Amino acid sequence: MPITLFINTKYRRHVPLFLLLISALSVIIPLQAVMADGMIFPPPHTNQPQIFSVKYHHVAVNIDDQAAVTAVDQVFHNETSRDQEGIYMFPLVEGSVINRFSMYAGDREVEGKILPKEEARRLYESIIRQQKDPAILEYVGRNTFRASIYPIPANGEKRVKLEYSEVLPKEGGMVKYVYPLSIERFSAKPLEDVIITINLRSKLPISNVYSPTHEIDVKQESPTQINVVWKAKHIKPDRDLILYYTLSDDTFPIEVLTYREPGQPGFFMMLASPKQQPDLKPLPKDIVFVLDRTGSMAGNKINQAKAALSYCLNTLNREDNFNLITFNENASWLEERLVPASKDNVDAALRMVQSVDARGGTNIDKALSLALGQFESSGNANNRRPYIVFLTDGLPTVGETDVNKILENAGAHNKNRVKVFAFGVGYDVNARFLDKLAQDSMADADYIRPEEDIEVKVSAFFDKVRDPVLADTKLTITGVRTEDTYPSDPLPDVFNGGQLIVIGRYDGEGEAIFTLSGISQGKQQSIKERVIMPKTSSNNEFIPRLWAARKIGYLLDEIRLNRNQELIDEVVRLSREYGIPTEFTSFFADEGGYNIALDEGLRQARTRMDVALKADTDAWAVNQSANARDLRNQTVVLGAAQREGYAASAAGGPTSYGGYNTYSGKGIGSTNTYRDAAGQVVSVDSIQNVGNRTFYRQQNQWIDARYKSQQVHNIRMYSEAHFQLLEEEPELRKYSTLGEVIVTVNGNAIQIGAEGKEKLSREEIDIILGRKKA
């Protein structure tokens, strides 16, 4: 019989009691857990297509330690000109209880009931046949909450409020929260407004807040309170929001997530971020700002650059030393050597910035030599962090003009491992030179496109690197064999409020020790974490694709900067296997591209690379740099619907400054986007990643990248045979959501489409699923 549960929300303040209540209830009765995200469908007997859309979707989540209360507020819209009947449904899983459900039809409060799996399965199957939408297959096999609604006014709205509670699971030391947005894909129109706000509170400090699925804004109110926000407009979300976080009193918590298929080497992701502490003093910086004041910087560019430098100067820490150098064919400096960031010195630097006049030629070699020379006498005393911020919009035209010689000179002068963060303004810069300059010093380069604001980008960078808390960072892993870790040693500095994410592969199993070491609080420190590396792990299917994206990014940099074209073979292999299009391998996503043999793919990629490598000083060079950087700093795998919703307003991409990721525009930097030679965002929708697999669209069907032309078993979509296979092999549900598809199971290929068997015997099921030989 239907069960309705109400939990008095006053118990939220008493977390142990709250957890005890939910745990006790789970012993008394099987809890029905809300997947929280509901949708209204036309009843199956009406034979109508989807006529209801979601106007807005607001979610407020309060999490105390591991006790979560999620409140959902949705408004649905009837897209037709007459009153309609609807069925409100949301899938359920174990682990949560409904606190409240509120919906009214006129003055009558609508009541809902929980359908057991078999009854829910029949309802879903009837809706699937009516709607002809395979994506609903994802929910077959779950208990479901259902409420019948009538009337839904013509061209009118219906508001639904829902609240549910759950105890969040832990994986290792990380707590995992999931909010399922994916059912919103069934809305008749894109959602006008989606906002999810998560308020995290705990008795222990909170750190390592991370989402592999969405670009979240994180604000730390205190060591034990964090606010997380994700919002978007005019989209159809296609995946659930996943959030991880750590509860730990450690100064520098380390957490490790893993994924491993049976019989294969595994993947790991290590996350480390410093606990927010009032007494955690950042390492002092020695920093030199170098500004190009040549004639090409005149006008808006020099004004924005002045504003950016003024911001950086005003946010220096008292313990920092600094200097300011401006250059054209000659160079000027604030002082002959580094000076303390006192008020008088900063004020003098600000006056110098405002007096800058843009004119003359470009002597980059001289400016760099002077800047690096500032550190020759200071060395690296007291573990001060040596940085240069170098901003230019042009090519060397005065003095030494050979960029290779300039790089050689910079390397000879850089005896104290000064990190040179380079900013190229516009497209008239030598991107390969600036990238090499930054890479050789273990820093990073970024580019400010003509439509972007120098002040915004440079100020955002300085906010991230202002407070280094762990330097000369190294990661050592013992107990298992590891390889292909990105980034690799030496790791970037870690900054206050930042997060270090390292992704790699491992072989072996059992206990491993992750040791992160470096300079913190003025002395050498080591942080150790014992981790069980499993033989198999089906969680965290996102890790392999992020690893592949990062590896491709590093390979592209090696090819582009060091002309090592032998690595293009590995780029092609990874791109095809993991479905990661690049400017050199996007042909795999073209119609018929999946059928291109690897040898032909290599030939095409090499041809494109030969053309691209000739570009060092134009928009194509800058965009190649951005594409490689976006890939090597991947932390989020976006869905196709999210990309569609974001790309129209995209203005930039995720940027790493010494390994710290920021984001300057939505839609760029997902593993299915890149910029072309003109800087336009290319979003590839003919590749889909479902779980740990890649599918390529060929005409009207999707093909599993693991398909190797073996014999195909044809099954008619939505037939009894189709649902028989879904019942026997639940993993097939998520692949079937693509529609017409060829998917491999235990070495066999199954084609689900318009033609095929409509009913299967027990023996046929076992043969198709590879459990028995034909």
Side-chain angles (χ1 to χ4, degrees), residues 26 265 402 473 538 549 569 622 627 634 642-643 645 678-679 706 734:
S26 66
D402 184 333
T473 314
S538 59
D569 296 23
V622 169
N627 289 335
Q634 279 298 310
Q642 294 179 48
R643 289 192 303 273
R706 301 184 184 189
K734 59 186 178 185

Side-chain angles (χ1 to χ4, degrees), residues 407-460:
L407 289 170
E408 183 182 330
N409 292 342
H413 284 103
N414 196 357
K415 298 175 182 178
N416 293 303
R417 296 183 298 169
V418 180
K419 292 182 182 293
V420 182
F421 294 96
F423 286 88
V425 181
Y427 290 142
D428 294 329
V429 294
N430 188 316
R432 179 171 175 265
F433 162 69
L434 292 180
D435 284 349
K436 279 284 290 177
L437 178 67
Q439 185 189 74
D440 290 350
S441 68
M442 303 308 300
D444 208 350
D446 198 3
Y447 298 89
I448 301 153
R449 294 180 175 85
E451 69 274 13
E452 294 179 319
D453 191 305
I454 299 171
E455 180 185 1
V456 171
K457 207 154 194 177
V458 175
S459 300

Side-chain angles (χ1 to χ4, degrees), residues 106-126:
D107 295 330
R108 180 178 59 85
E109 184 174 8
V110 175
E111 293 183 359
K113 72 173 185 176
I114 295 172
L115 303 180
K117 290 182 181 179
E118 185 59 30
E119 188 176 347
R121 182 185 66 80
R122 291 195 297 269
L123 179 58
Y124 277 123
E125 288 182 9
S126 62

